[in-house]
């Protein structure tokens, strides 16, 4: 959203269309059918495709998150074993579910009970804000929602390798100038965000 806002402030006559596409199957059909100029996606590092250009622009770690009023937020020492019986909000997507399963399995723990399943950020963030629920959330999502939604990361090392975020384009397709501007602004925002965290 910040990148789109910055672009539209500088170039108020451009048009940006944002579509949600399924990249879990790694088929990139919308891109190949030329319905979109580019995709922003978390991609497997092993992905190699002759017609696809993948440019990683940042790695995004995941965190256990809760609303600011959740009692676990005030604890300095928390581990996953403490949280097994808490109310969890899980995404439907396999990527984060895999991170959750791997984290609990690494500590010799069963998966926590799944109380709510949703890919809707609004529902998840609202439930977290009640102080009753926990979730695992990407650092970039936490960063942009923490203050507005009163979300906090718990001091737990998930030992999960960050998933790379990439700009995905077709190799033999010339991007339109607006897409190129968007990519430039996106990289600048990602670099600024990484510098401000260090």
């Amino acid at each position: 959203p910040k990148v789109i806002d910055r672009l539209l402030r500088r170039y108020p006559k451009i048009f940006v269309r944002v579509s949600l596409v399924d990249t879990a199957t790694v088929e990139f059909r919308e891109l190949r059918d030329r319905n979109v100029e580019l995709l922003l996606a978390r991609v497997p590092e092993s992905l190699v495709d002759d017609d696809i250009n993948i440019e990683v622009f940042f790695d995004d770690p995941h965190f256990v998150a809760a609303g600011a009023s959740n009692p676990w937020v005030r604890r300095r020492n928390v581990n996953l074993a403490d949280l097994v019986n808490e109310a969890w909000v899980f995404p439907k997507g396999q990527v984060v579910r895999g991170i959750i399963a791997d984290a609990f399995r690494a500590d010799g723990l069963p998966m926590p009970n799944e109380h709510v399943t949703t890919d809707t950020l609004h529902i998840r963030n609202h439930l977290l804000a009640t102080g009753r629920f926990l979730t695992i959330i990407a650092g970039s999502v936490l960063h942009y929602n923490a203050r507005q939604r009163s979300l906090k990361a718990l001091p737990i090392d998930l030992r999960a390798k960050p998933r790379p975020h990439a700009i995905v384009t077709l190799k033999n397709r010339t991007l339109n100038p607006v897409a190129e501007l968007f990519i430039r602004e996106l990289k600048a925002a990602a670099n600024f965000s990484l510098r401000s965290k260090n």
Side-chain angles (χ1 to χ4, degrees):
K2 280 191 171 188
V3 171
I4 293 170
D5 182 49
R6 282 172 59 177
L7 267 180
L8 290 173
R9 284 176 191 270
R10 289 175 52 204
Y11 307 98
K13 293 186 179 182
I14 67 170
F15 174 76
V16 178
R17 184 182 62 141
V18 178
S19 301
L20 184 62
V21 296
D22 183 12
T23 58
T25 59
V26 198
E27 291 178 8
F28 304 124
R29 189 181 64 194
E30 290 291 312
L31 189 63
R32 287 187 170 117
D33 290 347
R34 299 181 188 280
N35 294 328
V36 296
E37 287 279 328
L38 60 98
L39 293 174
L40 303 179
R42 290 188 185 105
V43 294
E45 291 180 275
S46 58
L47 180 65
V48 176
D49 222 323
D50 291 340
D51 64 335
I52 298 291
N53 183 41
I54 296 172
E55 182 179 359
V56 173
F57 66 101
F58 80 101
D59 289 329
D60 201 6
H62 282 78
F63 299 91
V64 176
S69 63
N70 188 298
W72 291 108
V73 169
R74 294 183 289 281
R75 302 261 309 259
R76 289 181 187 222
N77 295 315
V78 182
N79 58 53
L80 288 177
D82 297 326
L83 308 176
V84 169
N85 295 317
E86 293 297 314
W88 285 81
V89 178
F90 283 177
K92 290 195 301 188
Q94 295 304 310
V95 171
V96 178
R97 292 176 79 85
I99 291 170
I100 295 168
D102 290 347
F104 278 85
R105 191 179 311 116
D107 283 359
L109 301 167
M111 278 285 282
N113 291 328
E114 185 172 340
H115 287 80
V116 179
T117 302
T118 181
D119 278 338
T120 307
L121 293 177
H122 176 71
I123 291 172
R124 188 210 45 215
N125 290 345
H126 182 78
L127 290 172
L128 289 175
T130 68
R132 295 184 46 238
F133 295 88
L134 301 171
T135 196
I136 292 192
I137 191 170
S140 59
V141 177
L142 181 62
H143 174 76
Y144 286 108
N145 289 277
R147 186 176 299 147
Q148 179 184 14
R149 300 291 187 176
S150 298
L151 304 182
K152 303 280 184 185
L154 300 184
I156 295 174
D157 180 5
L158 294 174
R159 298 186 300 246
K161 188 174 183 183
R163 291 291 304 270
H165 278 262
I167 300 162
V168 184
T169 56
L170 289 175
K171 281 187 178 173
N172 296 319
R173 180 180 185 185
T174 302
L175 293 175
N176 76 42
V178 173
E180 290 177 357
L181 279 171
F182 181 83
I183 290 171
R184 198 172 4 196
E185 289 289 337
L186 185 65
K187 289 177 182 177
N191 286 335
F192 174 79
S193 183
L194 290 173
R195 283 195 310 270
S196 66
K197 289 178 189 176
N198 293 335

